[in-house]
Amino acid sequence: MNDTQLLRYSRHILLDQIGIPGQTKLLAAHALIIGAGGLGSPVALYLAAAGVGRITLADDDSVELTNLQRQIAHDMNSLGQNKAQSARRRMQEMNPEIHVDAMDLRLHGDALDAAVAKADVVLDCCDNFTTRHAVNRACVRYRKPLVSGAAVRFDGQITVFDLRQDTAPCYACLFPEHAQDAEMRCAEFGVFAPLVGVIGSIQAVEALKLLTDAGQTLSGRLLLYEALSADWRSLRLKKDAACEVCGK
Ligand SMILES: [Zn+2]
């Protein structure tokens, strides 16, 4: 680390659980963020600020005025721009030392596999079950830790599927691929502005813990937040032996 980096990351270096070894791991790490919307905004900004050395950010959508109520990586200058490109600009303005790859596409198939294979941690910040399941399958295939977040109306949830471990559940253990009936999308249901900040920020927390081996992650636990009642709940998650994605 050079002098500028020692200064920029000094508040991380002061933390016993991170220190110079942990910050060095972050600078060498590669995070893949799927989606640069409500959840992807705080995830992308915090990972960039924290010095994750390489960040790949994928989103095929462009910024609209209705997004600016909660998608804080974008601003009025971003209107009409691709979300991954817009977020990349903000990330690099804050931290020009890291490398950000902005992918103007919805990752699927071979491109998704290739992106997951190269990442040390994957953050699911998307808004649809098709992508969530595709990302989960790729993470199971390449045994990558997946930090999953969701937020709609006033309710959010976060968990980690640490697929490096044989005993870890996957997203399909929790939500089987063929059991989805209704998509819960912001466009139809509304979403409370800071809710995506709360959930996305915890996704960033879990990703940084995974990358630095600090503390215990949310692997095997689903954290639920109800903003209206200010309630947090935590549910135990178990691997489903009959899961059609990660089971035998
Ligand atoms: Zn599974």
Side-chain angles (χ1 to χ4, degrees):
M1 248 182 275
N2 59 38
D3 286 352
T4 315
Q5 289 172 319
L6 289 171
L7 202 56
R8 179 184 281 272
Y9 304 117
S10 57
R11 299 307 188 270
H12 260 176
I13 291 166
L14 285 170
L15 297 170
D16 290 342
Q17 294 83 349
I18 298 183
I20 288 181
Q23 191 61 47
T24 304
K25 285 180 192 169
L26 292 180
L27 289 167
H30 185 172
L32 170 64
I33 306 172
I34 311 282
L39 298 171
S41 286
V43 165
L45 294 176
Y46 274 121
L47 264 47
V52 174
R54 187 168 203 110
I55 300 172
T56 302
L57 182 59
D59 201 311
D60 67 337
D61 214 359
S62 45
V63 180
E64 297 173 22
L65 190 58
T66 58
N67 301 143
L68 299 186
Q69 166 252 17
R70 66 197 176 283
Q71 301 187 11
I72 59 167
H74 314 301
D75 53 39
M76 290 300 284
N77 294 321
S78 316
L79 291 176
Q81 281 179 19
N82 170 258
K83 286 186 183 178
Q85 304 280 3
S86 162
R88 177 182 185 278
R89 173 174 57 82
R90 291 281 294 277
M91 293 157 79
Q92 301 270 228
E93 280 170 5
M94 187 167 49
N95 191 347
E97 294 187 356
I98 60 164
H99 189 93
V100 182
D101 300 308
M103 301 178 85
D104 179 0
L105 50 85
R106 179 171 288 199
L107 276 177
H108 61 88
D110 291 344
L112 174 61
D113 273 12
V116 167
K118 280 188 273 186
D120 299 306
V121 65
V122 179
L123 293 113
D124 181 355
C125 302
C126 80
D127 64 353
N128 69 90
F129 288 120
T130 308
T131 302
R132 285 188 190 282
H133 282 299
V135 170
N136 179 59
R137 276 190 179 266
C139 289
V140 169
R141 192 172 301 131
Y142 293 98
R143 303 188 67 128
K144 300 292 183 175
L146 170 60
V147 183
S148 181
V152 71
R153 297 192 184 108
F154 292 92
D155 302 326
Q157 58 187 44
I158 324 107
T159 189
V160 170
F161 302 106
D162 192 350
L163 300 161
R164 298 170 300 183
Q165 297 168 7
D166 291 330
T167 52
C170 82
Y171 183 75
C173 292
L174 182 60
F175 300 108
E177 287 190 338
H178 302 294
Q180 303 304 335
D181 42 14
E183 285 274 6
M184 296 277 278
R185 305 187 70 164
C186 300
E188 295 146 59
F189 292 95
V191 62
F192 190 44
L195 178 71
V196 287
V198 172
I199 303 300
S201 297
I202 297 175
Q203 285 184 271
V205 166
E206 293 301 308
L208 296 181
K209 283 161 58 187
L210 283 161
L211 294 173
T212 56
D213 299 313
Q216 289 85 44
T217 71
L218 270 173
S219 180
R221 277 196 300 152
L222 177 68
L223 198 58
L224 300 162
Y225 175 57
E226 294 176 13
L228 284 180
S229 56
D231 266 342
W232 288 95
R233 284 186 301 143
S234 170
L235 303 179
R236 289 273 158 201
L237 296 182
K238 280 210 174 114
K239 185 183 176 90
D240 177 2
C243 174
E244 55 191 42
V245 177
C246 73
K248 297 256 158 46

